[in-house]
Each structure stands twice: as C-alpha cells, then as structure tokens.
Amino acid sequence: MQIGLVGLGKMGGNMRERLRNAGHTVIGYDTNPDKSDVASLADLVNELEAPRTVWVMVPAGDPTQHVIDRLADLLKPYDTVVDGGNSRWTDDEKHAEELGKRGIGFVDAGVSGGVWGLKNGYALMVGGEKEYVDRLRPIFEALKPEGPYGFVHAGRVGAGHFAKMVHNGIEYAMMQAYAEGWELLEAVDSVDNVREVFRSWQDGTVIRSWLLDLAVNALDEDEHLEGLRGYAQDSGEGRWTVEAAIDNSVPLPAITASLFSRFASRQDDSPQMKMIAALRNQFGGHAVESAKKA
C-alpha cells in the first residue's frame, strides 16, 4: 500500500522505516529537509495515487491544525487523513467535520510504542468510520506488534485518541507507584541494593511490567539516578484525562494524584520525579534535565 507520512521525528521516522520494512511505499515529509523525501506537502500529495492516505505525526494543537488545514486544500474527495499524534479527542471531531465537508475521510489513531516501536511494533487505538478504518487495515497490521493484539477499532471519531489519553493516564499512575516505592527503598538503611530489588521483581511478581523493565534499565545506567534532576514534564494527556473524569463524574484518585505529583516536581528536586523522568526517557526518548552540580 502507498501512504504519505507528515512528521518524521522520533515516532514518525521509525514508523516510516517499519512500514517500508513491511513492503509499503511511504512518502515522507518533514520541515527538516534532511529527513524529508519531498520538498513540500504539495509535492507529497502529488506523488500519491488516488485515493490518497496521509498520516499526520506532528505535535498536537496548532501544528496539527495547520497541517490538516493545508491538506484540506490539497486532497480530493475519497482521500483520507489519519491523525496519529497526541491530539485531544475533541479536536478530532472538529477535524472530521472540516474534512468531511470536502468529502475527505478522517481517522484518529492513538499510537503507543515510543522509541521502541520500530522493533516491537506500535499499539494502535483507532477511531473513525468503518469504511476508512478498513481501507487502512494493511497499514495498521504492519505497524502493530506481531500476534493477535495491539490494534483496536475503538469506536467513532475521537475514540482512538480518547483511549490513548486514558492509556497515558494509567501510565502516569503506574510510573508514580514505581517512583514512590523506589524512593522509600532508597530512604531506609536496611536496604542497600535497591536496583537489585527492582530487578528481582521482574519475574514471578504481580507488579512485573515493561515499565518495571525500563526502570531497571534506567538504574543500570545510573544506579541512584544522581545524574537527573527531579523534574518531569507532562504531555497534556494526564490533564485531559482528569478533566474528562470530572466531566463524566468518574473518580480517578490515583491518576489525579500522579498528575499533581508532576506539578510538585517543578517546585523542588523530587527524588520520585527522577525515576519518572528516567522512565519517560527510556520508553519515549523524552528529554531529561541533568542534575545541577554543587
């Protein structure tokens, strides 16, 4: 299958490679000409055969809106746009309406896999009309992990990004729990090998997970995380999850507390946030801040 891909950063660049490895034709565009296959969005669209599919992997908000506005002018009826970034689900409804007026289909795809997706595959949570989702099945099959799991048509437009938002909210709470446990182990005199305690949990325990494996990786690189500042950013999806919980009267005490803990990290050099910063770097390649030397 042939597809255009806009945005060739940490995720988009690896997705282009994974799709090509599966035999698909990918024409990529990025504002960085060193990464781009074509010089402009117009060139990308011109190289695609109708009906065209363009997958957008740029930051949420204004950058995504700008690309979709431009594609609305360039694409034709029966073409399809996929937003695979971390857009808010309410933006999906707006984009689907804007493109639909021109006969252009829209699919929202929550994508999880970070910098490991090229090797392991990407979990895909997709929203949109069945007609457009089915058209993209070969692309979804190539991107997802091998085996029966890793892809879901979650529902109508917005469902994919809503599901990914909830996924990220759960991720916040899980990372917070590991971070709190790590700080407590580090605080007591009786435990003198915290890293190996974490490693011992990787097999046979109910708290084993990929995040735990990544925590061990981070501790192998810096046993006490002394090189990191206890500061962790948030992508916005934790906030959106809490807002959606309020709107729907659903109690989310663990996820809400984990979001507020990130806010606290910006006030002091929080030991817990060193672990969360390390985990975000491990699974997503997110930037970390180095500890200030005395």
Side-chain angles (χ1 to χ4, degrees), residues 29-51:
Y29 170 70
D30 194 275
T31 53
N32 181 347
D34 293 334
K35 298 178 179 179
S36 196
D37 300 320
V38 290
S40 68
L41 270 178
D43 289 343
L44 180 146
V45 170
N46 288 336
E47 291 203 22
L48 294 172
E49 299 172 359

Side-chain angles (χ1 to χ4, degrees), residues 71-136:
L71 289 173
D73 292 332
L74 293 168
L75 295 174
K76 304 296 182 184
Y78 306 110
D79 293 344
T80 307
V81 173
V82 183
D83 179 6
N86 283 330
S87 293
R88 189 168 181 154
W89 80 97
T90 49
D91 290 342
D92 296 326
E93 296 166 356
K94 174 172 173 282
H95 295 154
E97 182 179 359
E98 292 169 348
L99 293 169
K101 291 177 180 177
R102 301 180 183 229
I104 301 168
F106 178 82
V107 171
D108 59 288
V111 182
S112 182
V115 296
W116 298 83
L118 173 59
K119 176 183 177 182
N120 299 334
Y122 300 90
L124 303 169
M125 297 142 271
V126 173
E129 294 182 18
K130 185 176 184 298
E131 171 191 353
Y132 300 117
V133 173
D134 286 348
R135 184 185 298 176
L136 287 157

Side-chain angles (χ1 to χ4, degrees), residues 116-250:
W116 298 83
L118 173 59
K119 176 183 177 182
N120 299 334
Y122 300 90
L124 303 169
M125 297 142 271
V126 173
E129 294 182 18
K130 185 176 184 298
E131 171 191 353
Y132 300 117
V133 173
D134 286 348
R135 184 185 298 176
L136 287 157
R137 290 277 179 175
I139 297 298
F140 298 141
E141 288 295 327
L143 287 173
K144 80 174 195 65
E146 293 183 12
Y149 307 116
F151 167 81
V152 61
H153 183 186
R156 60 187 177 87
V157 165
H161 280 145
F162 194 94
K164 176 60 164 45
M165 178 195 73
V166 174
H167 165 281
N168 283 21
I170 293 169
E171 172 193 298
Y172 274 45
M174 290 177 66
M175 289 196 291
Q176 184 65 28
Y178 285 127
E180 291 176 8
W182 173 78
E183 183 179 3
L184 181 58
L185 287 166
E186 287 277 349
V188 301
D189 294 332
S190 58
V191 180
D192 57 16
N193 202 342
V194 175
R195 178 179 61 188
E196 296 309 309
V197 170
F198 262 57
R199 198 187 310 279
S200 75
W201 293 343
Q202 289 182 277
D203 289 309
T205 71
V206 296
I207 63 168
R208 63 188 184 273
S209 73
W210 187 45
L211 278 176
L212 178 62
D213 296 341
L214 295 177
V216 173
N217 288 352
L219 295 174
D220 282 339
E221 293 173 6
D222 181 357
E223 183 173 357
H224 302 288
L225 303 182
E226 294 169 330
L228 298 180
R229 180 184 170 209
Y231 179 104
Q233 275 288 4
D234 68 281
S235 63
E237 289 178 286
R239 301 179 191 220
W240 300 341
T241 306
V242 172
E243 290 170 4
I246 294 169
D247 291 342
N248 291 278
S249 301
V250 175

